[in-house]
Amino acid sequence: MLNQSGRSDHSYPTSPKNSQRLATGKVLLSIAVASILSSTAVAAESDEMVTQAASEQEAVPTATLDTIVVRAAREELEQAAGLSIISEEAIEKASLSNDISEIVRKMPGVNLSGSSTSGQRGNQRQIDLRGMGPNNTLILIDGRPVTSRNSSRPSRGGEQDTRGDSQWVPPSAIESIEVLRGPAAARYGSGSMGGVVNIITKRPTETEFSVSGHYEAPESDLEGSSWRTNVNMAGALTDKLSSRTTLGYHDSEADDPSINAAEALDDSVAAGTEGVENIDARQVFEYAMDAMNTVGFEVNYSRQENRWAGDSLFQSVNQNLLDELEGETTSKMQRYGAAITHRGEYDDASSNSFIEYTRTVNERLGEGSAGGGEGQIQIPDDGEEFEWTEATYDTLNAKSEWDIYFDRHTLTAGAEFRGEKLDNPVVSDLAFADGFDFGDVETDPDKRDPTSDAYLIGAYLEDNYEITPDWYITPGLRFDYHSEAGSNWSPSINSTWHFSPDWSVKGGVSRAFKAPSLYQLDPNYIYYTGGNGCPSWVPEEEQGCHVLGNPDLENETSWNKELTFTYDDGTGLNAGLTYYHNAYDNRIGAGVDRVALDTATGRSIFVWENQGEAVIEGLEGFVKVPVTDTVSWSSNITGILRSERKDNGEPLSLIPKFTVNTGVDWDITPRWNANADVSYYGTIEAPTISATTGDDSDDPLLDREPYAIANVSTRYDLTKDITVGAGVKNLFDTGVYREGTATNAGARTFNEPGRTYVFDVSVDF
């Protein structure tokens, strides 16, 4: 569950200059491991199991339910205004292709966007909470952080060639998804400034043997079809030992490279959406030591391989490459790991602890890493084969969290350790002219260390206090130390007042942060452009620009505030309205202010830098109405009142000014269900300044005009063990096409799939 979650990215500092950090890291890791072991020892002294009662919530794709009631840490989340829960039933009805972002985007405060406003990887959109950008959305699986996207290098414009971390778990293996936005998310540490998405998988104790299949057939011949199958097996092996096995396979074809030809602004056609093959395998064991203690062990493996559709960082589709590589695999991402967990339930306390190791291997065909060829697959010489490159990203996470119960309040205390290590020699092979001397950069590529590493340790306290039966207050304080960016304090306070039987008001303020990435910190992460990627003010004789990693970067920070009014009359009718304001500081980006000249060549030198302040504020509203005993209607709205960097007035991410999701769910009979929903996306305003050079755009600004997408589906239980379903996505075939990158196409940088027919079947044995 969300508050029982741990997160820590962790690796071993290995370079000589970090020997002291290595020693410190080992000590901190030892403390974390000892904490996990101690929770088992303390548990053995208790004789009774603490029982918990939770009010079950139902959710349809467009619904959000803001309260859950479970004693201890879950009560603290009850005070969070920005909490949405997506149930297993809602996930099944949504008929997801494979990626949970398809349903999470329909929650209030959620949109999809690229890693930056450049639109350079326009169809690689990911979950973006409250417009803070995907990199400020922390993805968790069973409370443990997932950061495999950090293995993909950021371009000068901040874009990454990654689908994010939202499709490592097959939909059929998910029990629920929790989406937490706003001040309460600050307790989860680095990366949660926008919020947290926690994917909760089904428990081993739930007996199951099921096989499911899903197929999507697009109406257009230019779009790729998609299918997946999943197998889930779970249940008790003995009276104390349970097991769950999850197997998943998903394959989607790439769009035809000509899908956007009719929308091309010039001779250069922007690529459509690439396909992907997913393979997932997960094995979990849980052992109930006694009535109070449960230990678990998990191993998992996932692989994602793309089906190339012609995409490159600067949009141009190379016909020679298409002739050889269209529909082929040009990048592979493999993620595997192991975790040990412990949960304890005692008379006056409960605990949740884990330690987890993961490795992500990011392989791709060799690409240019500088200038106009950046992000474009390199064509080999005649007679040569395409060359594969590989980056390896390791994390080690450990966390222990305790809830201690008192008569009128619950104290939560936790500590976590994250470490990360990156081995990526690809971006450090640029040679400098003799005489180059700047910072910690090695002139000779052969002398550069291809590895970089960092660790973070955090500790926090929260107290959920009942001042009166109708008034709760939750103060909190978190401290983090990052080995490169230094220390950070994150205070928070949330409060809820039920000022009438049906009405309540909730408010919160918190400080959140995000530590710099290893690429941004590494002085040997080197970008070079011959001139077109330089800011226009750079004199011609000083063009040819280097952008270097910066080990002196500071943490990004934000002050998050929100105020919510909610109504719930106990009959199923509930509604709420939230205002939020995030003040963002120290945002990290590739520099546009020159820091030095290369003394050997006269070229300009820039570094990744902390770029000052930004503000984002908006509104979130939701309503759920039980129209009849069998029909319910749910709607939510997200409005962006302001999204602005104070240094240049640009938005933080390319998302609609407002989004409306509305849907009707109808249980026609106990065995037959139907639902329909519509998502309306308002105008997406075009950026006016190049994310690459910082210059004003010379091209016409092209906003993305409003559009709506409607979906209908139905499910029928043929027997108690067999369920079939069918539906149509994008019922009215709304056409949304990519016209280029932000440089020449403004906000028209992505595709939405056209009309698609969906078929589902699931069998329980």
Side-chain angles (χ1 to χ4, degrees), residues 168-192:
W168 294 113
V169 180
S172 66
I174 300 174
E175 177 183 287
S176 63
I177 303 170
E178 297 176 329
V179 183
L180 181 63
R181 310 168 298 277
R187 68 174 294 173
Y188 298 100
S190 177
S192 62

Side-chain angles (χ1 to χ4, degrees), residues 355-510:
I355 182 169
E356 178 182 48
Y357 167 79
T358 63
R359 165 166 285 189
T360 302
V361 180
N362 184 355
E363 300 176 83
R364 59 186 63 239
L365 291 184
E367 299 174 341
S369 59
E374 184 184 15
Q376 179 69 274
I377 296 172
Q378 295 176 324
I379 300 176
D381 295 332
D382 291 341
E384 300 291 330
E385 298 290 331
F386 283 93
E387 181 180 352
W388 286 88
T389 61
E390 179 179 297
T392 303
Y393 177 69
D394 296 305
T395 64
L396 182 61
N397 311 321
K399 180 175 181 178
S400 185
E401 179 175 284
W402 287 76
D403 296 311
I404 305 171
Y405 311 131
F406 299 91
D407 290 341
R408 297 181 61 180
H409 67 109
T410 297
L411 182 67
T412 299
E416 66 175 319
F417 182 70
R418 306 193 207 181
E420 54 184 351
K421 178 182 178 180
L422 177 68
D423 185 345
N424 186 20
V426 177
V427 298
S428 59
D429 60 359
L430 182 69
F432 289 94
D434 292 339
F436 177 86
D437 184 19
F438 180 81
D440 297 327
V441 180
E442 287 283 356
T443 304
D444 184 355
D446 293 334
K447 295 181 179 179
R448 295 178 192 144
D449 186 352
T451 63
S452 57
D453 48 67
Y455 70 84
L456 181 149
I457 183 170
Y460 56 92
L461 284 173
E462 268 190 357
D463 194 13
N464 189 45
Y465 194 87
E466 178 188 306
I467 297 177
T468 72
D470 297 322
W471 184 16
Y472 292 83
I473 188 169
T474 308
L477 182 63
R478 181 185 177 98
F479 173 78
D480 291 272
Y481 175 77
H482 188 268
S483 58
E484 303 296 328
S487 60
N488 183 81
W489 291 93
S490 301
S492 64
I493 186 166
N494 291 275
S495 183
T496 299
W497 177 37
H498 298 274
F499 59 87
S500 81
D502 300 334
W503 286 92
S504 65
V505 58
K506 304 177 182 182
V509 179
S510 71

Side-chain angles (χ1 to χ4, degrees), residues 546-753:
H546 297 293
V547 181
L548 313 177
N550 181 4
D552 296 323
L553 288 172
E554 299 177 357
N555 293 314
E556 299 180 329
T557 62
S558 68
W559 277 102
N560 303 335
K561 308 170 188 176
E562 69 180 17
L563 180 67
T564 298
F565 288 89
T566 58
Y567 176 85
D568 188 343
D569 65 3
T571 67
L573 173 64
N574 56 79
L577 180 65
T578 297
Y579 166 79
Y580 64 88
H581 181 282
N582 294 347
Y584 191 178
D585 197 11
N586 270 354
R587 177 184 177 275
I588 296 174
V592 294
D593 295 325
R594 185 171 59 192
V595 296
L597 285 176
D598 180 350
T599 55
T601 63
R603 294 170 179 170
S604 298
I605 298 175
F606 300 82
V607 297
W608 288 82
E609 62 186 11
N610 294 102
Q611 294 181 332
E613 301 179 353
V615 173
I616 185 164
E617 57 182 343
L619 295 172
E620 298 169 357
F622 74 92
V623 60
K624 181 175 182 181
V625 180
V627 181
T628 69
D629 290 341
T630 59
V631 178
S632 64
W633 169 65
S634 301
S635 290
N636 64 63
I637 184 170
T638 300
I640 303 299
L641 303 178
R642 185 183 179 191
S643 177
E644 181 180 76
R645 289 176 52 181
K646 291 188 176 181
D647 57 347
N648 58 19
E650 287 293 277
L652 288 175
S653 57
L654 296 183
I655 58 175
K657 294 291 289 182
F658 67 92
T659 303
V660 178
N661 299 290
T662 186
V664 176
D665 188 79
W666 180 20
D667 291 323
I668 303 171
T669 72
R671 297 170 60 178
W672 185 16
N673 171 270
N675 62 73
D677 65 81
V678 178
S679 295
Y680 183 86
Y681 303 99
T683 301
I684 304 178
E685 295 183 350
T688 61
I689 294 176
S690 169
T692 306
T693 65
D695 296 330
D696 291 337
S697 174
D698 295 328
D699 291 300
L701 302 180
L702 302 176
D703 295 341
R704 171 69 77 189
E705 299 301 324
Y707 64 95
I709 293 179
N711 310 295
V712 294
S713 64
T714 184
R715 294 175 63 84
Y716 185 75
D717 296 330
L718 291 176
T719 70
K720 67 182 183 67
D721 298 322
I722 302 176
T723 299
V724 295
V728 182
K729 296 181 179 179
N730 199 346
L731 178 65
F732 301 110
D733 200 22
T734 301
V736 178
Y737 298 97
R738 184 183 182 196
E739 299 182 20
T741 68
T743 302
N744 65 344
R748 302 179 188 179
T749 60
F750 61 88
N751 291 76
E752 291 276 13

